Amino acid sequence: MRIATWNVNSLKAREGRVEEWLALRTPDVLLMQETKLSDEAAPVLPFRMAGYELAHHGEGRWNGVAIASRVGIADVSFGFEGRGPDAEGARFVAATCGGIRLISVYAPNGRALETPFYAAKLDWFDRLIEWIARSARPDDALILGGDLNVAPGDADVYDPLVYIGTTHTSAPERHAFGELIAWGLVDLYRLHHPEPGRFTWWDYRAGNFHKGLGMRIDHLLGTQSIAERCVGAEIDRDARKGKLPSDHAPMWIDLA
DNA sequence: ATGGTTGTTGCACAA
């Protein structure tokens, strides 16, 4: 079973590339973020033609998350029910696919440390952790995936010195990521790739992708039973290449 | 990297 996550940076702009990628990499489930679509505009029919059911949660313009599955999709939940992250836009959708509880999240960016947006980001993580602790157990088969907008360690950025005093690497953000791990989630990419310098996002500007100036901020975290089944993990850098890519690469894991 | 890009029910602003 292959589970993938991808911040597509507009599913409208990326629909063709996403469909090509589904055919190429054949994930059973794809978690998406930043669809930037309303539910009415979600491309349910094209996904169905490709063999995937789509659960979408979005208000259009900004944010928006989705889960596409070809192994069934049930018990769709928007998680915070309007009291948390959804106050800042649609950032959470959960569903059960192929016997696994999956959550697709898009964490707030945070913008800059001294802003209310950063405080809201930390608050969002608090509510995410609360939701998980209340709604799931560490011995469930559960995967939390998406754009967490946190590089959990110095190995997850091209140069730690560049990020001093910025978001994505601050101690409180890394602490929030650590709380997810402490609850019982395993960083499934790191399980297979301990090496530094593996990134999922590169700024569009300044040729950063080609210079290797990126960060690992998209994640697939799984409970212990998932980690035990996880036989591989890859970031698809190729999908960041070519004409009009997302600024994020997709990542996937394979489960036995 | 104090920005060279890309996205948006765009026409500034978010990332």
Side-chain angles (χ1 to χ4, degrees):
Chain A
M1 192 167 177
R2 175 167 287 179
I3 314 287
T5 186
W6 195 0
N7 179 325
V8 297
N9 187 17
S10 171
L11 186 52
K12 183 181 175 186
R14 220 67 61 205
E15 192 176 330
R17 284 188 73 123
V18 172
E19 286 172 16
E20 284 172 27
W21 190 83
L22 288 173
L24 180 68
R25 300 301 188 187
T26 62
D28 294 292
V29 181
L30 173 62
L31 313 178
M32 286 174 278
Q33 303 83 37
E34 282 208 271
T35 64
K36 299 185 177 178
L37 293 175
S38 65
D39 293 340
E40 298 72 40
V44 171
L45 287 175
F47 272 75
R48 190 170 295 157
M49 296 288 281
Y52 291 84
E53 291 173 87
L54 186 66
H56 184 272
H57 179 42
E59 297 156 340
R61 187 168 185 188
W62 288 312
N63 312 313
V65 286
I67 300 175
S69 172
R70 62 175 191 181
V71 290
I73 193 157
D75 299 321
V76 176
S77 161
F78 302 137
F80 299 97
E81 310 295 349
R83 73 172 267 286
D86 275 6
E88 309 147 33
R91 297 182 178 276
F92 179 111
V93 61
T96 301
C97 308
I100 299 173
R101 191 66 178 159
L102 294 135
I103 310 171
S104 176
V105 292
Y106 173 49
N109 176 283
R111 302 194 197 180
L113 297 186
E114 66 279 8
T115 65
F117 302 100
Y118 175 74
K121 180 179 189 176
L122 296 178
D123 197 47
W124 184 90
F125 272 102
D126 283 346
R127 285 197 296 274
L128 175 65
I129 293 157
E130 268 173 35
W131 188 93
I132 290 171
R134 190 172 63 244
S135 311
R137 292 161 39 119
D139 59 355
D140 291 344
L142 179 134
I143 293 172
L144 170 69
D147 178 0
L148 294 185
N149 269 319
V150 175
D154 284 349
D156 300 312
V157 299
Y158 72 92
D159 180 359
L161 300 180
V162 166
Y163 292 98
I164 291 172
T166 73
T167 60
H168 295 64
T169 60
S170 73
E173 288 164 279
R174 286 177 168 175
H175 177 78
F177 186 91
E179 297 256 289
L180 294 168
I181 303 301
W183 179 80
L185 292 171
V186 175
D187 183 338
L188 298 168
Y189 186 77
R190 274 288 173 244
L191 200 57
H192 292 278
H193 294 278
E195 68 276 17
R198 296 300 171 108
F199 307 134
T200 63
W201 172 86
W202 299 260
D203 198 309
Y204 278 128
R205 297 168 291 188
N208 274 12
F209 176 66
H210 302 285
K211 296 176 190 167
L213 309 183
M215 307 175 91
R216 192 176 71 99
I217 57 176
D218 300 85
H219 303 284
L220 286 165
L221 309 180
T223 49
Q224 189 58 41
S225 65
I226 295 291
E228 284 165 13
R229 291 171 59 192
C230 184
V231 295
E234 299 299 335
I235 295 167
D236 195 354
R237 279 186 84 260
D238 287 345
R240 179 63 176 76
K241 299 174 182 172
K243 192 168 179 278
L244 293 179
S246 169
D247 46 355
H248 295 251
M251 170 176 51
W252 77 73
I253 56 162
D254 286 314
L255 301 179

